[in-house]
Amino acid sequence: MPAVAGTETAGDPYIPRSGNGGYRVEAYDLDLTYRVPTNRLEGTATLTIVTDQKLSRFSLDLVGLGVKRVRVDGRKTPFRHADGKVRITPEKALAAGATVTVVVEYVGAPRPRRSRWGTIGWEELDDGVLVASQPSGAPSWYPCNDHPSDKATYRVTFATDAAYTVIASGALVSRTVVGGRGVWRFEQAAPTPTYLVAVQVGRLASVPVDLAGVAGTLHRPAAIAPVVDRELERLPEMMALFERTFGPYPFDGYGVVVTEDEIEIPLEAQGIATFGSNHLDGSGREERLVAHELAHQWFGNSVGLRRWSDIWLNEGFCCYAEWLWSEASGSERVETLARRHHRALASAPQDLLLVDPGADDMFDDRVYKRGALAVHALRVFAGDAVFTDILHAWTTRYRHGLATTDDLLALADELAPGAAAVLGPWLTERALPAFPR
């Protein structure tokens, strides 16, 4: 077979300029040095890729940073970097099924990437950094194959001024201080999509917490630590509820990061949730968001998306988790919340297909609430015991993997025959179905 150039897209219509074809990534090793005052990042990214076909050329996603050099299996390799793509042409074509090491050295001042959903990716704070990459912001800080279907393991080494705390996806395996610079090393053994890899940098005080047997860590500015800690007092109860309902927590630990800055919405990453000081301000008004972000560790992080059109699988289940926590914590019952949101949806435009909302509407609140109502309809049909069996089977069968709406329908029908027909109108019809009874 003749060698071909890998496609410069993953073929997902929601993010048509993201992702690449011809290979998959097995592992990323990111070695990063960052200066907070000047927002200067120097990085070496080592990717272990496996080719799907014989490749004469392949590409990576990288936006807003400059590439210094590229090596493929140790050989300096020609490349061209333009329009958010690093196009790499090896001296010899890569054989199909080959395991190849790609090293990219790069440098620059990272900044958020513009998108139809606003600016996403690397974001400077008043005194630090946060990363919010969903759905296509990862290339703002490292070269990657940016699509959720390409999960990989990660090692991240991050050097910065010693006064700052660094939190990244994965387990912290070491921290050293040399010459006023802190070097933090993290390893994420669970397969992770690019958009769920995060780095947060700030002047934070960290404290370990026991989350019903799961190792937890709270990272927050010392000045607001008492308020944040009170807001998160019930996090162990929340973890226990979700483990009973969804199955065992799928990662080694869970970290919560709170920035001194206010941010628009909380952010989930693999094993981490990030909140602004405006979300955990002592009022208790945003406790539902704490539940939502924790639930993402099962729905979206461990069980990942094969395509962005299935975003309701993440957001619908996590919205329903908010309702479950509300009832379990002594607040409003699931039935009350479901009825209220059904009434609100009935007065909203009836022009959205939950199974394929379109890129512009993938984060529309109707996806979240109608998705949660679809989950409720499944529960009403199956009964509580079988519903829990379905959730446990879902998070076990697709643990650290990828799934689609069709996979859920098949599983639901397997354990509760007829469930797919019940879910169908919620997913594939624009008109809002009647409230489930």
Side-chain angles (χ1 to χ4, degrees):
M1 293 289 291
V4 298
T7 60
E8 295 182 4
T9 176
D12 192 321
Y14 281 48
I15 49 170
R17 297 176 62 188
S18 294
N20 306 275
Y23 67 93
R24 57 184 172 82
V25 183
E26 282 194 340
Y28 291 88
D29 189 338
L30 307 179
D31 191 346
L32 310 172
T33 299
Y34 181 66
R35 288 284 296 158
V36 175
T38 57
N39 187 40
R40 181 173 177 83
L41 178 70
E42 296 185 34
T44 299
T46 302
L47 288 68
T48 303
I49 71 170
V50 178
T51 59
D52 296 328
Q53 57 194 117
K54 190 175 182 179
L55 289 175
S56 60
R57 190 183 75 199
F58 63 98
S59 55
L60 301 170
D61 299 298
L62 185 66
V63 178
L65 297 165
V67 177
K68 296 165 61 177
R69 61 184 60 88
V70 172
R71 297 192 302 276
V72 175
D73 282 343
R75 293 178 178 271
K76 187 176 179 180
T77 304
F79 68 91
R80 186 169 65 87
H81 185 199
D83 304 319
K85 296 289 181 180
V86 184
R87 300 170 178 89
I88 300 168
T89 306
E91 181 179 299
K92 295 181 179 179
L94 305 179
T99 299
V100 179
T101 301
V102 182
V103 178
V104 180
E105 297 177 40
Y106 61 103
V107 67
R111 59 184 183 274
R113 181 182 194 177
R114 295 181 182 277
S115 77
R116 69 174 77 202
W117 309 280
T119 54
I120 51 177
W122 187 279
E123 182 177 344
E124 288 185 86
L125 302 175
D126 287 341
D127 189 22
V129 169
L130 68 78
V131 169
S133 291
Q134 189 178 27
S136 57
S140 68
W141 65 285
Y142 71 102
C144 57
N145 187 28
D146 192 29
H147 192 265
S149 64
D150 195 8
K151 288 187 170 188
T153 62
Y154 280 80
R155 179 182 293 122
V156 178
T157 303
F158 198 100
T160 193
D161 309 88
Y164 293 91
T165 297
V166 179
I167 301 99
S169 298
L172 176 64
V173 295
S174 69
R175 176 181 179 258
T176 58
V177 178
V178 179
R181 176 179 291 174
V183 181
W184 304 70
R185 292 185 174 87
F186 303 85
E187 292 185 1
Q188 177 60 273
T192 306
T194 51
Y195 83 96
L196 289 175
V197 181
V199 169
Q200 321 290 12
V201 180
R203 298 181 189 269
L204 303 170
S206 302
V207 60
V209 291
D210 178 11
L211 301 178
V214 174
T217 312
L218 309 183
H219 310 275
R220 63 279 191 263
I224 62 172
V227 172
V228 169
D229 293 356
R230 285 196 302 273
E231 286 267 26
L232 296 174
E233 279 179 343
R234 302 192 72 178
L235 190 57
E237 296 174 61
M238 200 177 285
M239 179 70 79
L241 170 67
F242 290 173
E243 285 204 306
R244 290 194 303 272
T245 309
F246 307 147
Y249 181 73
F251 302 108
D252 292 334
Y254 184 61
V256 176
V257 183
V258 183
T259 71
E260 198 158 8
D261 299 59
E262 295 188 359
I263 59 177
E264 183 179 357
I265 58 172
L267 313 165
E268 89 267 11
Q270 195 113 312
I272 305 170
T274 300
F275 299 87
S277 58
N278 52 312
H279 299 126
L280 301 176
D281 60 3
S283 68
R285 291 173 299 185
E286 304 292 1
E287 191 171 75
R288 69 176 187 86
L289 298 179
V290 177
H292 186 105
E293 301 310 323
L294 175 58
H296 267 306
Q297 302 307 317
W298 287 265
F299 303 103
N301 295 15
S302 178
V303 182
L305 295 176
R306 194 172 292 279
R307 58 194 180 222
W308 281 114
S309 58
D310 279 327
I311 187 68
W312 84 273
L313 290 171
N314 295 3
E315 305 304 348
F317 279 101
C318 291
C319 184
Y320 199 69
E322 299 176 30
W323 302 355
L324 291 171
W325 171 249
S326 174
E327 181 169 295
S329 64
S331 188
E332 293 184 286
R333 296 176 60 244
V334 170
E335 180 84 2
T336 302
L337 291 163
R339 287 187 178 278
R340 178 184 305 152
H341 289 296
H342 189 271
R343 288 194 297 271
L345 285 173
S347 62
Q350 306 288 306
D351 60 355
L352 181 140
L353 286 178
L354 191 57
V355 75
D356 189 7
D360 287 337
D361 289 331
M362 64 187 289
F363 301 117
D364 190 291
D365 192 56
R366 291 173 295 168
V367 173
Y368 292 58
K369 300 305 190 296
R370 182 163 173 157
L373 283 164
V375 175
H376 188 61
L378 175 62
R379 180 184 180 185
V380 170
F381 174 79
D384 284 357
V386 176
F387 175 70
T388 300
D389 288 344
I390 291 170
L391 296 185
H392 279 239
W394 179 249
T395 61
T396 299
R397 188 173 298 183
Y398 297 102
R399 179 183 172 92
H400 301 324
L402 303 170
T404 66
T405 295
D406 288 342
D407 294 324
L408 178 66
L409 292 174
L411 176 61
D413 238 17
E414 176 186 324
L415 298 181
V422 170
L423 283 170
W426 293 94
L427 305 176
T428 62
E429 296 178 12
R430 288 182 168 83
L432 182 69
F435 188 80
R437 300 179 187 280

